[in-house]
Amino acid sequence: MATTYFSKRNLHFLLHEVFKAEELTKYDYFSAHDRETFNLVIDSATYIADTLMHPYLKDVDRNQPELKNGQVTVHPKIKEYLKAMGEAGLIGAGFPFEHGGQQLPEMISSTVGFIVMAANNGMMYTGLTSGAAHLITSFGSPELSETYVPNLLAGIWQGTMALTEPQAGSSLSDVTTSATPQPDGSYKIKGQKVFISAGDHDAAENIIHLMLARIDGAPKGTKGISLFVVPKYRPDGLIDNDVTSTGVYHKMGQKGVPAMHLTMGSNDNTIGYLVGQPHQGLPYMFQMMNEARIGVGMTAAAIATAAYYAALEYAKERPQSRRLNQKNQLDAPQTPIINHPDVRRMLLFQKAVTEGALSLLLEAARLYDISEVAEGEEKENAFLLLDLLMPVAKSYPSEMGVQSVSQSLQTFGGYGFTEDFPVEQLYRDIRITPIYEGTTGIQAQDLLGRKMTMKGGKAPQLLFAEISKTIADASTHADLKPYADQLTAELKRTQEVMASLMPYAQQGDIERYLSDATLFLDLFGIVVVAWQWLKQAVVAKQALLTQNPQSDELAFYEGKIHTMKFYFHYEVPKTLGLAVRLKDPEVLTIVTEKELAL
Amino acid sequence: MATTYFSKRNLHFLLHEVFKAEELTKYDYFSAHDRETFNLVIDSATYIADTLMHPYLKDVDRNQPELKNGQVTVHPKIKEYLKAMGEAGLIGAGFPFEHGGQQLPEMISSTVGFIVMAANNGMMYTGLTSGAAHLITSFGSPELSETYVPNLLAGIWQGTMALTEPQAGSSLSDVTTSATPQPDGSYKIKGQKVFISAGDHDAAENIIHLMLARIDGAPKGTKGISLFVVPKYRPDGLIDNDVTSTGVYHKMGQKGVPAMHLTMGSNDNTIGYLVGQPHQGLPYMFQMMNEARIGVGMTAAAIATAAYYAALEYAKERPQSRRLNQKNQLDAPQTPIINHPDVRRMLLFQKAVTEGALSLLLEAARLYDISEVAEGEEKENAFLLLDLLMPVAKSYPSEMGVQSVSQSLQTFGGYGFTEDFPVEQLYRDIRITPIYEGTTGIQAQDLLGRKMTMKGGKAPQLLFAEISKTIADASTHADLKPYADQLTAELKRTQEVMASLMPYAQQGDIERYLSDATLFLDLFGIVVVAWQWLKQAVVAKQALLTQNPQSDELAFYEGKIHTMKFYFHYEVPKTLGLAVRLKDPEVLTIVTEKELAL
C-alpha cells in the first residue's frame, strides 16, 4: 500500500501562497477564521483520512454493499467514519453557525473533500449529505431545517440527491415521479429513481432524499419540477415511509458506496415535504450544482492524486534496466525507473494534470466563496466567472484524471494491473467521474451553449481579463515570459475558434453550433489549466527570488516551475489540432436522411 | 448482453476486398486453400465463439482462477473451449501440415484470434499455446516437436511463454533463472517467473513452458540467454517436474486467465530441455515476437470492437432528450441517443479506431505471410515493412482501444459503469494490452530506436512508397483527393520530425533521441491508420462505382467513406501538436544533477 496519497505541502502552497485563502476572512461571514483555523481543519480531516479511511481502501472495495431482505449492508468502517466526520464538524464545515456549521469557506470545505477522497473515495458519503442539507437550509422552511439538518450534519443521518430516473438520465425535463398534494400540506410521492448514491445503507439511522418530482397538473418539462424532502423514515417516530430499495447496482468502481434503485409509493404511502416553492425544483437544484460539481471535480482530482503518489513511490524504488546512454554497462546495477525519460514524462504528466486540476478547483471554490459573501459587482463578477469555469472544473479533473490514473497504472507495468497495488482500483474508481453530475457531453453543451454567451459574453471577457493579469505578472520574469506569450497566443486562438462558431448560433442552428462542443471543452480546459500553471509558476518564482529556499523547499518551487514548463511544452500544443477541427466547416456527426452503417 | 460483438461483413471486406487474402494462395505453401476454405475457418471460429465463449463472458469474469493446495482451478467452460478449438484445428491453424496444422496464412489464423477474443477475451488460452508450439517447431529438435506439439495443438496441453522475472520486467538482459547441464543432455532449472499467463490450470492435462534461462557460465546480458522447454509434468509418464505454483495474481481484468507466479527447482528437480542452440534464446523469442504482438493487437482490437457494438446497439435503442434544434418540443417523444451529434461523434470515433486498427493488423498479418513464403526481395521487403509496422500494430490497437472502450462506456452513461452491461468488463480487460508483450514505451523505443533507422532507413522508405500508391489510387477520385493530399502532407510532417530528431542519434545521444519516442509512436500510428482508412475508402469507392450496391450494402460502403472522413477531420489533426512537441528543443524529462520535487 502506498504511504502517501496527497501532498499537504502542495495544499498549503495553493491555499495560502497562490490563492491566499486568509484574504477571505476580511468578509464578515468568514471573520471568525484565520490561517490557523483553516490549517486545523485540514489537519483534522487528514487525521480522519489517515486513521479511519486510507487503511480500508481495498477492504471497502472488496466488500461491496449488498441488498438482502430489503436492507443494504455497507462496510462496518463507514459508520465510524460518518460519526468522526460529524463530530469533527466536517460535514457541516461550510454551513453557517446558526445551522451548527463551522462557517468555513468552500475553499476549505472542498479541500476537506479532496483529502478524504484521496484517502478512500469508496467512502463517498459525507459530500452527499452536505449537499442535501444545503438544499434544505437554502430553500426549505425553518421547520424542515430544524427537523433534518442537525442529524445530517452530525453524520447520524445520510442525505442524498435523488434526480435520475430510468427513462430520464441527462434529460431532467422527462422526470415523471409524481407528487400528489395531501390535506395536511404534505405530498404523496410515487415513482422510481436510479443511481442514487448512498440511497440506502445501514451506517446511517435514516436516509433523507432530496428528490425531484412533479406535482399533479404541473407544467411539462423543466418548469414543472418541484423539490421534496423524502425520508426513509418519517422523523416523527421514525415510521417507515414506503421507500423501497428495489436494487443495488453492482459497479466497476467506487464499490464502497451503494448506487440504489429506489421505488417510492409501492404501498401508496410515501410522504414528501415540499422544499420552497412549487415548480422551483430545477432552479434550486441548479443553484447547488456548482457546489456539487466542485465536489465531483475534487473527487476526480483526489483519486488521480492518490494514484500519482503511488506511481511516484514505485518509480523511485523499482530498479529496471540501465539508462539509455549506458545500455551496455551490464555490470552496472539497474536504475530506478524514474530515471528513464519515458517514465519521467508519464510522472510529469500526472503531476501536471493533478496539481493543475486541484488549482483550478480551488480557483472555482474561491470564486464560489466570493460570490456568496461579497456584494455588488464583485459578487456578480465572481458568480459569472464561477459559472463559466464550472463545466471545465468538473470535466477537466475527471476526463484528464482518467488519463492520469491510466499513466499511473502504466508506470507499474504488469504490477499495475494486479490487486497488489492500489492503482487498478483507482483506475476503476475514477471512471465514474466523467458521468456523475452531468456527463462531459452535458458539461460541454453548458459551456458553449450557455456560459460562453450569457450576458453578451461577459463571462469569457472577465476570464480573459483575469488571465491577462497572470500573463502580465509572468512577463516581468525573463524565464517565464515565453510562457506568458504562449498563453496570450492561446487566448487569441480560443477567440478565433469562438468567432468561427458564433455564426451557427446566430443563425439559430444550435445543433451545428454545439456539434463539437466537447472538443471546445477540451480546448478551453487546456487553456484554463495553462493559466493555473502560469499562476503557480509566478508564485514559485517569487518565492525563489525572495525566500532563498533550501533543499526540499527549493526542490518544491523549482518542481513547480518545471512542471509548468512541461505543461506548456507537452499539453498546450494539443490545442492546435483541436482548433483546426473546431474551425473545420465539414459536418460529419449530424444525422441526415441518408442512413449510414455505423 | 449485447448480441453483436463483431461484424463478419467488415471482416470479409478487409480480408477479401481490401487485402485480397486469396492472392496468398498463389504461393506454394498456401496453395491448398482458396477463399472458401478461408471463410469456412472463419465460420468455424464464429460457431465456437457464439456457442462456447460469448455466452460465458461475464461468468468467466466473475469466477476468477484460484490457487488452492498447489492447484489452479479455472472456469469449467475453458476445458470445453480448448477441446473444441483443438478439434476444429484452430490452435494449429497456422502450422504446417507436417505438424498436424492447417497451413493457413497468419491473416486467417489471426482473424480467428480476433473473433474468439471479441467473443470472450477472458478465454485467452489458445494463442499462448500456438505461440509456444511455434517456438518448438521452429527451433526445437524433431524429438521435441514429436513429444510436445500434437497434444498442444489438440488443446489437451497448454503452452506458455515464460520470460518475465520479478527483478526483470521489460529488461530481459537481467533474467537470472539458471540452467545447469546434466549428463543426459537435459538441464536443471532454478528460478522464478512472474505474470505467466495460463501458467497453471486444471483445464489442460499438462502445461508446457517455453522458458528463458541462463546456462551456467553464460555471457552476461541478452547474449547469454537460452530457451528451454520446461513441462509441468515430464512427458515420460507424466512425472511431476517440480514447477510450483507460488501464487496467482488477482487482476483488474482478463480474469479468466490465471497470471501465475511460478517457482522452478524448489526441490532441485526441475528438468528443462534446450530448444535449438545455447545462448540463442532471445533471438528465437524475438523471431516469434511479431506473431505474438499481432496477437496482442488483435486482442485489443477485438475487445474494443465488442465494446463498440454494445455501445452502438444501446445508442440505437436508448431514447433520451430531443434533438438540439427541437429542444422545446416537450410533447415530442425522446430521440434515440445516436441522433445526438456528441454521441454520434463518440460512436464514429470507436468505429474509426476499431476498424482502422483491425485493418492495420491484417496488413501486418499479410506482410508476415509474405515474409514467410515469398523469396528474394519480395520476402525481404515484406519483412522490413512488417518489422517497421509491428510496434504500431501492437500499440495503436491497445492504446487507442483503451480510449475507444472508454467512449463505449461513456455512451451508456451511468449504466456503462454497472455490471448490467458488458462494457465495464471490457474497459477493465483491455487495459492490460498496452502492457503485454512489451509496454507502449518499449514499442516506442523499438520503433524510433531500431526500426526507423535499420538498414539506413530502408523500412520507412518502403512504407512511404506503399502509402504513396494508396495516395495515387485515392487521387483519381475527386471526393477522395483532398484526403490523399492531406496524407501527403502528413508524410512530409513525419519526415520533418525525423529530420529534427536524427542529429541526436548521430551524436550518440540516444537518451535524448528517444526521450519523446512515445509521442513519435503516437504520431506514426495516426499517420499509418490514416493510410489504412484511405485504402479502405478507395475500395469502398470502387465498389460504389462498379457494383451499384443497395440498402445495407450501400450503407456499408458509404459508412466506410464517411468514417474515413471522420478519421481525417477528427483524428489526423492531432499530429499538429505532436509534431510541435517532437521538434521542440526543450528537454524536460531527462534526469539532471538538480533534484526536482516530483
Side-chain angles (χ1 to χ4, degrees), chain A residues 27 370-381:
Chain A
Y27 298 99
I370 295 172
S371 76
E372 290 279 308
V373 300
E375 279 169 23
E377 199 184 2
E378 187 186 18
K379 181 188 185 81
E380 191 195 334
N381 286 352

Side-chain angles (χ1 to χ4, degrees), chain B residues 8-148:
Chain B
K8 198 176 277 186
R9 179 68 190 90
N10 186 49
L11 270 184
H12 284 167
F13 171 74
L14 290 172
L15 285 174
H16 301 310
E17 298 173 65
V18 177
F19 293 113
K20 300 184 169 47
E22 204 175 2
E23 286 182 359
L24 290 172
T25 63
K26 78 178 180 199
Y27 298 98
D28 264 2
Y29 185 81
F30 297 128
S31 59
H33 291 289
D34 56 20
R35 180 170 172 149
E36 201 181 341
T37 60
F38 290 167
N39 285 346
L40 279 172
V41 172
I42 289 169
D43 290 345
S44 164
T46 305
Y47 179 76
I48 291 173
D50 278 347
T51 56
L52 292 174
M53 302 183 71
H54 194 242
Y56 306 101
L57 177 66
K58 291 204 169 188
D59 207 47
V60 164
D61 179 64
R62 286 178 189 160
N63 295 283
Q64 61 181 330
E66 295 293 348
L67 172 64
K68 278 181 195 157
N69 306 321
Q71 177 61 53
V72 180
T73 313
V74 295
H75 194 283
K77 285 286 162 187
I78 308 285
K79 191 164 189 167
E80 274 183 56
Y81 141 78
L82 285 177
K83 206 165 149 243
M85 288 289 281
E87 282 172 2
L90 294 177
I91 303 177
F95 283 70
F97 293 134
E98 56 170 317
H99 286 293
Q102 293 205 59
Q103 212 156 305
L104 281 158
E106 174 72 10
M107 279 192 88
I108 304 303
S109 55
S110 68
T111 296
V112 168
F114 174 79
I115 294 168
V116 297
M117 288 300 93
N120 188 342
N121 81 88
M123 288 185 168
M124 192 196 65
Y125 288 77
T126 50
L128 299 161
T129 298
S130 298
H134 201 177
L135 276 170
I136 299 174
T137 58
S138 301
F139 308 113
S141 65
E143 292 72 29
L144 278 180
S145 282
E146 280 161 32
T147 308
Y148 292 98

Side-chain angles (χ1 to χ4, degrees), chain B residues 530-553:
Chain B
W531 165 46
Q532 291 300 310
W533 269 111
L534 195 60
K535 199 178 234 192
Q536 293 184 58
V538 168
V539 174
K541 183 74 193 173
Q542 282 159 348
L544 287 169
L545 290 173
T546 60
Q547 294 171 24
N548 190 28
Q550 301 298 317
S551 61
D552 284 359
E553 282 295 289

